[in-house]
Amino acid sequence: MRSKSAATLYRTIALHAVLVPLALIWLFPIWMMVVFSTMPENGIFSPTINLIPSDQFWTNFQLLEADTGFLRTVFVSVVVAIVYTVTSVLLTSMAGWALARYHFVGKGVVLGIILGTLTLPYFVVVIPQFIMVARTFGLANTWFALIVPPLFNALGVLFMRQAFSMMPGELFDAARVEGVKEWQIFLRVAMPMARPTIAALCIILFLASWNNYLWPLLINNRPDMMTAPVALGSLIGVTRVSWGGIMTGAVILTAPMLVVFVLLQRHFVAGIAAGAIK
């Protein structure tokens, strides 16, 4: 028993000896981003590397707000990300439920098409999508254009299909025998059971919307509808680049995501594990 305990201890020490340096390597750029956000621009490009934060964060934030109206762009990003995440989770859950629990003509074809979309780079579909939304329907510079076109998420559909496929069918059959309607089975039985998977999917979709740059840049040219990533991109000009503002905005956008992930990492890991086991 002692030998097994000692072996386990040695393996734990060896694992931490490998993972801790890797974690520090990953965290170092984030820490430098925080440091740069507190420094004036001449300090960012100083020949000496300063690892201690300075006192210019508020000044950089004021310049960022004056250049971009950053608080407004953060509000737009929050609204878009929340509405997108809730709507996309609901739609992908419905599609996953149908593919997992119902039998219909063409089910294999539908599943094959969804799998096929995973192989397409986003840049292949973004131009036809832009032409359809902006020119055909005339919906550029609207909330609809920011939220609805990216809603379909093939990975989310497959994720939820896997989660629903793992659930015992006898439970749903018993609910049908009791006279429970299909939509009630989906909302009151299946969805609560898939809570870990839904939590993981929410994190993935929220981060995808929060960091989305290309589509909001293409579909919107109004300053009051600008998202935060696009606002940061606008600081890179031909003759001037506001590095202090970019670092400050990056810190503001990164900090909430790190906090959310740390608080929900247990659900995220559980959801990923649940979707990977069959």
Side-chain angles (χ1 to χ4, degrees):
M1 293 296 294
R2 290 184 179 179
S3 60
K4 290 183 178 179
S5 300
T8 303
L9 178 62
Y10 293 148
R11 283 197 297 267
T12 303
I13 294 174
L15 182 63
H16 282 76
V18 174
L19 294 182
V20 169
L22 292 177
L24 293 177
I25 292 173
W26 181 82
L27 291 173
F28 182 74
I30 298 178
W31 175 249
M32 292 307 301
M33 178 181 67
V34 174
V35 173
F36 288 155
S37 69
T38 64
M39 299 172 63
E41 292 194 8
N42 57 354
I44 294 177
F45 295 99
S46 174
T48 60
I49 299 178
N50 191 354
L51 300 179
I52 306 300
S54 184
D55 58 353
Q56 296 295 312
F57 184 86
W58 179 246
T59 302
N60 289 335
F61 175 76
Q62 289 178 318
L63 294 175
L64 174 64
E65 178 65 21
D67 290 337
T68 63
F70 194 67
L71 292 179
R72 168 68 185 180
T73 66
V74 171
F75 170 77
V76 173
S77 291
V78 169
V79 173
V80 170
I82 291 177
V83 176
Y84 167 81
T85 301
V86 173
T87 308
S88 186
V89 166
L90 180 60
L91 293 177
T92 54
S93 298
M94 294 169 63
W97 173 256
L99 291 172
R101 291 298 172 182
Y102 295 149
H103 299 282
F104 52 88
V105 178
K107 177 180 176 180
V109 176
V110 173
L111 185 58
I113 293 174
I114 294 175
L115 286 171
T117 59
L118 292 175
T119 65
L120 292 177
Y122 180 66
F123 302 100
V124 174
V125 300
V126 67
I127 294 179
Q129 183 173 278
F130 171 79
I131 293 174
M132 181 178 65
V133 175
R135 295 185 180 180
T136 305
F137 298 111
L139 294 173
N141 300 311
T142 63
W143 291 100
F144 182 93
L146 285 174
I147 298 172
V148 174
L151 276 179
F152 175 75
N153 189 282
L155 182 62
V157 173
L158 299 175
F159 208 48
M160 295 307 300
R161 173 184 175 272
Q162 180 68 15
F164 291 135
S165 298
M166 295 169 56
M167 298 178 184
E170 295 80 4
L171 180 64
F172 306 126
D173 294 336
R176 294 186 182 96
V177 171
E178 294 295 330
V180 181
K181 297 180 180 179
E182 288 296 321
W183 66 270
Q184 291 176 322
I185 295 175
F186 172 69
L187 291 177
R188 298 181 181 179
V189 180
M191 291 292 279
M193 293 177 62
R195 190 175 302 165
T197 305
I198 293 174
L201 184 60
C202 284
I203 295 175
I204 294 172
L205 294 177
F206 189 90
L207 288 176
S209 177
W210 186 259
N211 295 322
N212 193 5
Y213 175 79
L214 180 59
W215 178 248
L217 176 66
L218 291 177
I219 203 62
N220 171 64
N221 56 19
R222 285 171 45 188
D224 60 324
M225 294 294 294
M226 186 182 299
T227 60
V230 177
L232 292 184
S234 68
L235 295 176
I236 303 176
V238 177
T239 59
R240 175 178 176 268
V241 179
S242 179
W243 292 110
I246 292 175
M247 293 295 102
T248 302
V251 169
I252 295 174
L253 295 182
T254 304
M257 297 300 98
L258 291 178
V259 173
V260 169
F261 182 78
V262 169
L263 294 177
L264 299 179
Q265 61 177 331
R266 179 170 59 87
H267 300 285
F268 180 78
V269 174
I272 295 294
I277 300 172
K278 184 173 181 180

